[in-house]
Coordinates of all heavy atoms in Angstrom, one line a residue:
F305 N 5.2 104.2 241.8 CA 6.5 104.9 241.8 C 7.4 104.1 242.8 O 7.0 103.9 243.9 CB 6.4 106.3 242.3 CG 6.0 107.2 241.2 CD1 4.7 107.8 241.1 CD2 6.9 107.6 240.1 CE1 4.4 108.7 240.1 CE2 6.6 108.4 239.1 CZ 5.3 108.9 239.1
F306 N 8.6 103.8 242.3 CA 9.7 103.2 243.2 C 10.6 104.3 243.5 O 11.0 105.1 242.7 CB 10.3 102.0 242.5 CG 9.4 100.8 242.3 CD1 8.6 100.6 241.2 CD2 9.3 99.8 243.3 CE1 7.8 99.6 241.0 CE2 8.5 98.7 243.2 CZ 7.8 98.6 242.1
K307 N 11.1 104.3 244.8 CA 12.1 105.3 245.3 C 13.5 104.9 244.9 O 13.9 103.8 245.1 CB 11.9 105.4 246.8 CG 12.9 106.5 247.3 CD 12.7 106.6 248.8 CE 13.6 107.6 249.4 NZ 13.4 107.7 251.0
V308 N 14.2 105.8 244.2 CA 15.6 105.6 243.9 C 16.4 106.4 244.9 O 17.3 105.8 245.4 CB 15.9 106.1 242.4 CG1 17.3 105.8 242.1 CG2 14.9 105.4 241.4
T309 N 16.1 107.7 245.1 CA 16.7 108.5 246.1 C 15.6 109.3 246.7 O 14.4 109.2 246.3 CB 17.8 109.4 245.6 OG1 17.2 110.4 244.8 CG2 18.8 108.6 244.7
N310 N 15.9 110.1 247.6 CA 14.9 111.0 248.3 C 14.3 112.0 247.2 O 13.3 112.6 247.5 CB 15.5 111.9 249.4 CG 15.7 111.0 250.6 OD1 15.0 110.0 250.8 ND2 16.6 111.4 251.5
T311 N 15.0 112.2 246.1 CA 14.5 113.2 245.1 C 14.2 112.5 243.8 O 13.8 113.2 242.8 CB 15.5 114.3 244.8 OG1 16.8 113.7 244.5 CG2 15.7 115.1 246.0
H312 N 14.4 111.2 243.6 CA 14.3 110.5 242.4 C 13.3 109.2 242.5 O 13.6 108.4 243.3 CB 15.7 110.0 241.9 CG 15.7 109.5 240.6 ND1 16.9 108.8 240.1 CD2 14.8 109.4 239.6 CE1 16.7 108.4 238.9 NE2 15.4 108.8 238.5
Y313 N 12.3 109.3 241.8 CA 11.3 108.2 241.7 C 11.0 107.9 240.2 O 11.0 108.7 239.3 CB 10.0 108.6 242.4 CG 10.1 108.8 243.9 CD1 10.7 110.0 244.4 CD2 9.7 107.9 244.8 CE1 10.9 110.1 245.8 CE2 9.7 108.1 246.1 CZ 10.4 109.2 246.6 OH 10.5 109.3 248.0
A314 N 10.7 106.6 239.9 CA 10.3 106.1 238.7 C 9.3 105.1 238.7 O 9.3 104.2 239.6 CB 11.6 105.6 237.9
A315 N 8.3 105.1 237.8 CA 7.2 104.2 237.8 C 7.6 103.1 236.8 O 7.0 103.1 235.6 CB 5.8 104.9 237.5
T316 N 8.3 102.2 237.2 CA 8.6 101.0 236.3 C 8.9 99.8 237.1 O 9.5 99.8 238.2 CB 10.0 101.3 235.5 OG1 10.4 100.1 234.8 CG2 11.1 101.8 236.4
W317 N 8.3 98.6 236.6 CA 8.5 97.4 237.4 C 9.9 96.9 237.4 O 10.2 96.0 238.2 CB 7.6 96.3 236.7 CG 6.1 96.5 237.0 CD1 5.1 96.8 236.1 CD2 5.5 96.4 238.3 NE1 3.9 96.9 236.7 CE2 4.1 96.7 238.0 CE3 5.9 96.2 239.6 CZ2 3.2 96.7 239.1 CZ3 4.9 96.1 240.6 CH2 3.6 96.4 240.4
L318 N 10.8 97.5 236.6 CA 12.2 97.1 236.6 C 12.8 97.4 237.9 O 13.9 96.9 238.3 CB 12.9 97.8 235.4 CG 12.6 97.4 234.0 CD1 13.3 98.2 233.0 CD2 12.8 95.9 233.8
L319 N 12.2 98.3 238.7 CA 12.8 98.7 240.0 C 12.3 97.8 241.1 O 12.7 98.0 242.3 CB 12.5 100.2 240.3 CG 13.3 101.2 239.4 CD1 12.8 102.6 239.8 CD2 14.7 101.0 239.6
H320 N 11.3 96.9 240.8 CA 10.9 96.0 241.8 C 12.0 95.0 242.2 O 12.9 94.6 241.5 CB 9.7 95.1 241.3 CG 9.0 94.4 242.3 ND1 9.4 93.2 242.8 CD2 7.8 94.7 243.0 CE1 8.5 92.7 243.7 NE2 7.6 93.6 243.8
P321 N 12.0 94.7 243.6 CA 13.1 93.9 244.1 C 13.2 92.5 243.4 O 14.4 92.0 243.3 CB 12.8 93.7 245.6 CG 11.9 94.9 245.9 CD 11.2 95.3 244.7
D322 N 12.1 92.1 242.8 CA 12.2 90.8 242.2 C 12.4 90.8 240.7 O 12.4 89.8 240.1 CB 10.8 90.0 242.4 CG 10.6 89.7 243.9 OD1 11.6 89.5 244.7 OD2 9.4 89.6 244.4
A323 N 12.5 92.0 240.2 CA 12.7 92.2 238.7 C 14.2 91.9 238.4 O 15.1 92.0 239.2 CB 12.4 93.6 238.3
P324 N 14.4 91.4 237.2 CA 15.8 91.1 236.7 C 16.6 92.4 236.6 O 16.0 93.5 236.4 CB 15.6 90.5 235.3 CG 14.2 90.9 234.8 CD 13.4 91.1 236.1

Side-chain angles (χ1 to χ4, degrees):
F305 276 108
F306 290 92
K307 180 179 178 180
V308 183
T309 71
N310 286 336
T311 55
H312 188 190
Y313 291 76
T316 171
W317 287 115
L318 292 177
L319 292 177
H320 190 279
D322 296 332

